[in-house]
Amino acid sequence: MQRILSRTRLRPGSEAAYDSVHATVPPALAARLREAGVHDWTIWRDGLDLVHLIEVEDYRAMRRSLADDPVNAEWQAVVNPLLEAADDYSGSDDGVPRVWSLAAQVDGAVAAVAAVAARDEADR
């Protein structure tokens, strides 16, 4: 599973409308997101800045499957006017690049130690 961070920005004055439409997204959209492999999608808003954390099986595949989806298109028609830049789900967006992760570093070190121990055990 992938964890993707994405950012968008609201048009000034659209904060309340954005919060309102996200109080509960349409059930049909929630179902389409799940069908497209989304496990969770969390959005934080700081003024006009939006930060999205998307936990998904395959981010690019999800975006491709939603690009021409009529339920998603209906939702985008509601949300996109509130954003500085509309998202048409085209392109090869990968979200914000990850620089570092504590879990990846610690888990990677543990895995490396285990691999060395297993190799040493096999050599005995």
Side-chain angles (χ1 to χ4, degrees):
M1 180 168 48
Q2 296 177 299
R3 294 177 68 208
I4 302 294
L5 183 71
S6 179
R7 296 179 307 204
T8 51
R9 187 162 173 85
L10 292 172
R11 293 179 189 273
S14 62
E15 300 93 331
Y18 187 86
D19 291 355
S20 178
V21 299
H22 281 85
T24 302
V25 301
L29 178 64
R32 292 291 167 82
L33 291 170
R34 288 294 171 117
E35 291 167 8
V38 176
H39 292 263
D40 195 16
W41 190 318
T42 304
I43 304 170
W44 291 267
R45 184 174 65 76
D46 181 16
L48 299 176
D49 296 314
L50 302 168
V51 178
H52 308 252
L53 177 60
I54 307 152
E55 297 180 34
V56 62
E57 292 300 322
D58 182 329
Y59 183 67
R60 285 188 180 188
M62 178 269 294
R63 289 182 57 82
R64 282 191 306 270
S65 73
L66 294 175
D68 296 320
D69 184 278
V71 172
N72 185 51
E74 187 176 323
W75 176 249
Q76 295 308 317
V78 171
V79 173
N80 279 336
L82 305 174
L83 302 174
E84 277 190 353
D87 187 357
D88 64 1
Y89 281 67
S90 64
S92 56
D93 171 52
D94 285 324
V96 176
R98 184 175 80 177
V99 175
W100 178 80
S101 163
L102 174 64
Q105 179 177 322
V106 172
D107 295 347
V110 169
V113 168
V116 169
R119 188 174 54 238
D120 289 348
E121 183 65 29
D123 289 343
R124 289 185 194 159

